[in-house]
Amino acid sequence: MSKKIKVLIAKPGLDGHDRGAKVVSRALRDAGMEVIYTGIRQTPEQIVATAIQEDVDSIGLSCLSGAHNKLFPKVVSLLKEKGADDVLVFGGGIIPDEDIAGLKQAGIAAIFLPGASTEETIEFIRKNVKTA
Amino acid sequence: MEDLVSGLLAGKVRSLAKAITIVENDLPGKREILQRVYPRTGNAYLLGITGPPGAGKSTLTDKVIAHLRGRGKTVGVIAVDPSSPFSGGAILGDRIRMQQHALDDGVFIRSMATRSHLGGLAKNTVDVIHLFDAAGKDVIIIETVGVGQDEVDIVRIAQTTVVVMVPGLGDSVQISKAGVMEIADIFAVNKADRDGAEKLVNELRAMLEMVKSEIKPEIFRTVATDGVGIEELVAGIFAHGRRVEESGLVAKKRCLQAENELKAYIYDMIMERITSLGGYDEIVRQVAAKKLTPMTGVEKLFAGLGIAQEE
Ligand SMILES: Nc1nc2c(ncn2[C@@H]2O[C@H](COP(=O)(O)OP(=O)(O)O)[C@@H](O)[C@H]2O)c(=O)[nH]1
Ligand SMILES: [Mg+2]
C-alpha cells in the first residue's frame, strides 16, 4: 500500500481572498490527495508548526497581498530551522515575473501563476514529493 | 525507530508527527513503535466530540482546548473527516477553527481522513490515540462526523462522548432516528444563540425521560463562536468522567477495548501465516464455486498451519 500524498494549502499574508486556494484544494482532493486547509491570514510560524504536526509532504502557499517575497522564503527558512526541509514548498497567486527567480533561489520549488491549470500543480507534486 | 520512540516519549513534536504517519499508513516500523509505546499508555482522558457536519464541533473543540490549557492540561486533538468516495482524497478543514493554538507547545492537532473505513473513525485511529497518550497528552479529543448508529466507534473508546446538536436540523428526527441516545454521555446544544435551541433542549429532555440507563446524559447549551457555556460543559465532562470511573464502567470499557485490539492482532497474525503458506486463493475459489464449504476451507487452511481442528 502506498502512502497517500498529504499537502498543506496555506494562505500567508493579510489578503482575505481564498478562492484560488480552495480551487487548488479541491483539485488535489479529486486527484486522491489529502489536503489540510487552514484558512486565511496565517503567519509563516503557524504554517510551519501545522506542517510539522501534520507531517505533510508538501506545502502550497497562496498569496495575493504582494508580500510573497517576504512570506514565502520565511516559510522555507523556518522549515530548515526545524529540520523539516524535506517538505516540498510551492507557491501561487499574483506574483510578478521578475520575482520568480528570487523565490526559486530561496527554496520555493515552483510558482504557479493564475493562468496555470490545476493539472500542472498535481503533476508537479506527484513528481517531486519525497514520500517514504 | 529507536530515536523516534524516545523522542515521542520525551514529547518531541516531530517524533510524534513522524510516528503517527508510520502508524496511520501501516508503514514498516509500526509494530515496533506500538510495541514500545503500549506500556506507556493508559493515562490520557479520551474525549469524543461528534455530531452532524456544520454543528460547530471544531469551533467547540477550539474553545474546549483553550479552557483545558487554562487548567494547565496538555491536549492532543485527532480531527477526523470523511474521504471522498470518488477519489479517495480528502479536504481536512477542522484546523481552520483551531489555529489560535498552532504555536502552543501544549497542543498537538492532527487531521485524519476516514479512508472509507466505517464507524466514523479513521482506520488506525486507536493506534494514533496510543501515540498521543504515550507522548504525555493529558486530554485527547477525537472529533468525528456523524451521529448515526453506524458511527459509534468513538463510544467504545472514549471516557466521555459529547454529541453536538444544533437547532433547526429537523430536531426530533435528528434525535430519534440517529440513535444518539445510545451514543451521548453529554449533549451540547450548540448555536444556542439561534431560534429553536429551547425547543431542541425540551425535545431532548422528553426523550431522556424514556431512557432507562443509570447515568442520564446532561444537556448543555453552548455558543461555541463566543465561548458561551464552555466552562460548564468542561465541568460536566469531567464530572461524567468521575462518575464512570467510580461506577466501574471505565474498567469495563478498557477490557472490551483490550479484547478488540487483541482480536484484531490475532486475525492479522493468523491471516499473515495462512496467506504466506500459499493455496489460500485456491481455497477462496473453491468456496466461491461451492466445491467447499467455508468450514471445510478453514479446516484445510488450519491443517496447513499444523493446527488440527477438534471435532
Ligand atoms: N451562530 C453560531 N454559529 C456557530 C456556532 N458554533 C459554530 N458556528 C459556525 O458554524 C460553522 C461550522 O462550524 P464548525 O466548527 O466548522 O462545525 P463542524 O463541521 O461541526 O466542525 C462555522 O461557520 C462556525 O462559525 C454557534 O454557537 N453559533
Ligand atoms: Mg469540524
Side-chain angles (χ1 to χ4, degrees):
Chain A
M1 198 178 103
S2 69
K3 186 191 156 305
K4 280 205 185 294
I5 295 175
K6 204 167 163 186
V7 184
L8 170 63
I9 297 293
K11 279 198 56 59
L14 296 178
D15 70 283
H17 307 283
D18 60 353
R19 217 176 43 194
K22 282 182 171 161
V23 168
V24 172
S25 297
R26 278 194 288 269
L28 299 184
R29 176 200 58 196
D30 293 342
M33 299 180 195
E34 290 179 347
V35 181
I36 316 288
Y37 184 62
T38 49
I40 57 172
R41 301 202 177 102
Q42 298 292 297
T43 65
E45 286 79 7
Q46 284 176 314
I47 292 168
V48 169
T50 300
I52 287 174
Q53 287 181 9
E54 296 284 357
D55 193 24
V56 294
D57 305 298
S58 179
I59 304 177
L61 299 168
S62 158
C63 182
L64 303 173
S65 73
H68 49 267
N69 282 335
K70 215 176 114 224
L71 297 171
F72 290 9
K74 179 79 184 170
V75 168
V76 174
S77 70
L78 283 171
L79 281 171
K80 211 165 271 167
E81 208 175 282
K82 308 263 179 196
D85 42 351
D86 54 337
V87 178
L88 176 74
V89 182
F90 63 94
I94 301 171
I95 290 160
D97 285 340
E98 64 263 30
D99 289 351
I100 292 178
L103 289 171
K104 287 200 170 160
Q105 202 149 39
I108 318 299
I111 297 289
F112 297 96
L113 297 175
S117 73
T118 50
E119 281 79 26
E120 274 176 70
T121 312
I122 292 163
E123 274 263 321
F124 167 80
I125 296 172
R126 283 203 180 124
K127 275 213 181 99
N128 292 286
V129 287
K130 297 184 192 69
T131 44
Chain B
M1 228 40 80
E2 183 69 27
D3 279 0
L4 205 60
V5 176
S6 16
L8 180 162
L9 294 175
K12 285 203 181 124
V13 174
R14 231 161 102 73
S15 306
L16 175 57
K18 290 279 175 199
I20 293 173
T21 301
I22 291 172
V23 163
E24 179 186 19
N25 294 287
D26 296 316
L27 298 176
K30 173 175 179 174
R31 190 191 152 88
E32 190 190 334
I33 292 172
L34 288 171
Q35 182 77 353
R36 290 201 45 210
V37 153
Y38 262 108
R40 300 279 290 265
T41 61
N43 303 310
Y45 194 99
L46 308 187
L47 170 62
I49 297 190
T50 191
K57 300 179 295 298
S58 300
T59 315
L60 205 63
T61 300
D62 173 63
K63 295 304 193 309
V64 170
I65 297 170
H67 196 82
L68 290 171
R69 294 298 291 141
R71 291 186 177 204
K73 302 211 181 283
T74 56
V75 184
V77 178
I78 302 174
V80 184
D81 266 326
S83 298
S84 154
F86 305 107
S87 70
I91 294 180
L92 309 167
D94 291 322
R95 288 190 82 109
I96 298 176
R97 320 274 178 224
M98 309 179 198
Q99 279 306 83
Q100 62 161 317
H101 306 293
L103 297 180
D104 180 350
D105 287 340
V107 180
F108 188 115
I109 303 169
R110 182 74 172 222
S111 314
M112 288 179 84
T114 53
R115 300 189 180 166
S116 74
H117 185 254
L118 299 177
L121 290 179
K123 179 172 174 273
N124 299 340
T125 306
V126 174
D127 292 331
V128 173
I129 291 172
H130 290 323
L131 299 183
F132 273 99
D133 190 348
K137 295 290 173 264
D138 297 321
V139 180
I140 303 170
I141 304 178
I142 305 115
E143 177 188 335
T144 59
V145 178
V147 283
Q149 273 137 339
D150 300 339
E151 284 138 343
V152 293
D153 273 4
I154 187 66
V155 181
R156 280 198 274 278
I157 306 167
Q159 261 103 323
T160 306
T161 300
V162 176
V163 171
V164 183
M165 305 190 91
V166 283
L169 278 183
D171 299 339
S172 29
V173 183
Q174 207 184 159
I175 300 166
S176 55
K177 187 186 114 196
V180 289
M181 288 296 159
E182 288 80 50
I183 303 172
D185 298 314
I186 285 177
F187 284 104
V189 171
N190 192 41
K191 308 199 184 183
D193 51 327
R194 293 207 177 154
D195 286 346
E198 218 34 60
K199 184 167 159 266
L200 177 55
V201 169
N202 289 334
E203 283 182 341
L204 276 171
R205 283 231 174 86
M207 293 288 293
L208 287 175
E209 288 295 313
M210 299 186 286
V211 174
K212 283 190 287 288
S213 76
E214 60 245 70
I215 304 175
K216 287 219 179 195
E218 267 193 284
I219 305 169
F220 293 91
R221 265 164 272 219
T222 57
V223 184
T225 33
D226 301 334
V228 173
I230 302 300
E231 193 174 340
E232 293 79 358
L233 175 66
V234 174
I237 288 166
F238 285 127
H240 172 266
R242 278 191 299 274
R243 265 182 300 168
V244 286
E245 189 76 57
E246 282 158 16
S247 73
L249 205 64
V250 172
K252 225 159 100 187
K253 257 192 199 179
R254 285 221 171 98
C255 240
L256 275 173
Q257 181 53 30
E259 196 182 348
N260 281 337
E261 286 185 48
L262 209 53
K263 278 181 185 166
Y265 281 109
I266 291 171
Y267 174 85
D268 286 350
M269 200 166 176
I270 291 181
M271 277 310 282
E272 202 182 301
R273 290 184 55 188
I274 283 178
T275 46
S276 72
L277 276 180
Y280 174 72
D281 294 338
E282 181 50 32
I283 291 197
V284 172
R285 271 192 290 275
Q286 289 188 17
V287 173
K290 309 286 179 194
K291 289 187 183 135
L292 271 185
T293 67
M295 294 77 105
T296 316
V298 170
E299 275 167 27
K300 281 183 183 291
L301 290 168
F302 271 42
L305 287 182
I307 305 173
Q309 292 259 344
E310 301 263 334
E311 255 317 298

